[in-house]
């Protein structure tokens, strides 16, 4: 089955997630987003063993083995762009997985995550095209798999997924964007900086989607969102807090005032807690 012939949204999202070739995955997501598909929230779908679909390259290695080069060099510039491209490719898969995996959610939940997947596909395409202008293709350099590992850990609980992927791992992008943009402007890559502006604008909305559904699920389970977030962070091994934090973006994305007040001062280390973040690049 391909995503193009699916008539139900969740099944289509799963079919797109299983595609390994990046261009095919992007095309499938665009087709799903443009279609008027039915939604079957009650259907329990068994997870296939081949998730997520990935190309043979890039080679996935531990994060500490990804080469680090000065961004002012051609190799370092391409490396930064490649790392961003890999993050956005993973973000497509994360949104598709949230869309198909969890039964029993309102129809709006599945539409939200399909919209997020479509926007992540656009980010990926922008970066692929920009990367090509620097003589590099997606897959040419090694990358790490940290983002998908948290998806695996939270595969059995939609509340944990909302807490620890969009409002934790993806919120790291909100914090990292100003520094990444500054680096690109500093080496004269204004086109790359404009792509970062687009990504930041959309990622505020993506984190807001996670916040919305996290708080709704907390209310349904009669749980305090701040306390529960801290418990889930410890239970699932969320990243430790590390600044600097993009407080304006976090406010726009719907983090509670008390969560922002609990963020550590820049340079401090703290146990995982509300809105945990560290730079993804």
């Amino acid at each position: 089955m391909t995503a193009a012939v699916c008539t139900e949204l969740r099944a289509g999202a799963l079919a797109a997630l299983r595609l390994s070739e990046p261009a095919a995955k992007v095309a499938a997501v665009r087709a799903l987003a443009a279609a008027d598909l039915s939604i079957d929230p009650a259907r329990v779908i068994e997870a296939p063993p081949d998730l997520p679909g990935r190309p043979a390259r890039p080679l996935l290695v531990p994060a500490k083995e990804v080469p680090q080069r000065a961004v002012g060099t051609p190799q370092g510039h391409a490396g930064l762009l490649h790392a961003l491209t890999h993050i956005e490719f993973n973000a497509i898969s994360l949104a598709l997985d949230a869309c198909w995996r969890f039964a029993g959610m309102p129809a709006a939940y599945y539409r939200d995550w399909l919209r997020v997947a479509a926007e992540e596909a656009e980010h990926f395409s922008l970066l692929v095209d920009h990367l090509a202008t620097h003589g590099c293709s997606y897959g040419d350099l090694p990358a790490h798999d940290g983002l998908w590992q948290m998806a695996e850990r939270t595969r059995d609980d939609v509340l944990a997924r909302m807490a620890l992927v969009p409002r934790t791992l993806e919120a790291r992008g909100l914090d990292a964007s100003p520094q990444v943009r500054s680096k690109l402007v500093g080496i004269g890559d204004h086109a790359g900086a404009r792509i970062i502006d687009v990504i930041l604008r959309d990622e505020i909305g993506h984190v807001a989607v996670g916040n919305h559904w996290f708080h709704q699920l907390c209310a349904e389970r009669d749980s305090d969102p701040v306390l529960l977030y801290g418990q889930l962070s410890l239970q699932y091994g969320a990243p430790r807090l590390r600044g600097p934090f993009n407080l304006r973006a976090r406010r726009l994305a719907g983090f509670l005032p008390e969560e922002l007040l609990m963020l550590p001062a820049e340079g401090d280390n703290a146990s995982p807690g509300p809105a945990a973040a560290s730079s993804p690049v």
Side-chain angles (χ1 to χ4, degrees):
M1 179 185 293
T2 67
V5 300
C6 286
T7 59
E8 194 274 323
L9 187 150
R10 293 178 61 214
L14 176 57
L17 178 61
R18 297 179 73 182
L19 295 173
S20 59
E21 205 280 314
K25 192 186 294 282
V26 167
V29 170
R30 287 172 173 164
L32 287 170
D36 183 16
L37 301 180
S38 64
I39 300 174
D40 183 0
R43 181 184 175 194
V44 176
I45 306 174
E46 184 176 352
D50 57 347
L51 296 182
R54 291 183 173 127
R57 298 165 60 241
L59 175 68
L60 298 180
V61 300
K64 63 183 180 181
E65 295 182 16
V66 177
Q68 301 295 316
R69 300 181 177 91
V71 73
T73 66
Q75 297 86 354
H77 188 182
L80 173 59
L81 294 175
H82 190 276
L84 294 169
T85 306
H86 182 64
I87 288 170
E88 295 303 317
F89 184 72
N90 272 277
I92 300 170
S93 293
L94 291 169
L96 289 171
D97 196 73
C99 187
W100 82 266
R101 182 176 293 275
F102 301 105
M105 296 295 289
Y109 167 90
Y110 304 107
R111 294 192 186 99
D112 277 349
W113 286 110
L114 179 58
R115 174 179 57 81
V116 171
E119 291 178 352
E120 303 289 17
E122 292 307 311
H123 300 167
F124 174 76
S125 298
L126 287 171
L127 286 165
V128 165
D129 290 345
H130 188 55
L131 189 61
T133 68
H134 295 273
C136 187
S137 298
Y138 177 56
D140 285 352
L141 302 175
H144 69 82
D145 196 30
L147 290 173
W148 186 258
Q149 290 170 5
M150 185 59 77
E152 284 288 333
R153 294 180 206 169
T154 58
R155 64 184 180 271
D156 295 325
D157 185 357
V158 63
L159 190 152
R161 173 66 64 85
M162 294 299 100
L164 301 176
V165 174
R167 69 192 312 270
T168 299
L169 298 185
E170 293 187 52
R172 297 162 70 183
L174 305 184
D175 300 323
S177 288
Q179 291 90 344
V180 173
R181 187 186 193 282
S182 179
K183 288 180 180 179
L184 293 173
V185 169
I187 58 174
D189 186 359
H190 297 283
R194 288 192 292 272
I195 294 172
I196 296 300
D197 290 339
V198 171
I199 292 174
L200 176 59
R201 178 199 68 198
D202 292 345
E203 291 296 339
I204 289 171
H206 301 172
V207 177
V209 168
N211 268 318
H212 169 77
W213 292 109
F214 174 72
H215 285 287
Q216 180 157 318
L217 289 161
C218 285
E220 291 173 2
R221 301 187 192 187
D222 196 25
S223 298
D224 178 272
V226 176
L227 292 176
L228 182 60
Y229 179 81
Q231 294 166 1
L232 291 170
S233 296
L234 291 170
Q235 178 181 346
Y236 289 92
R240 290 184 175 274
L241 298 168
R242 187 176 69 199
F245 301 103
N246 190 339
L247 297 179
R248 178 182 180 275
R250 283 176 173 269
R251 290 188 190 97
L252 291 172
F255 285 102
L256 299 174
E258 53 266 43
E259 292 181 292
L260 300 179
L261 288 172
M262 292 172 67
L263 294 171
E266 185 175 346
D268 290 348
N269 289 321
S271 298
S278 59
S279 172
V281 294

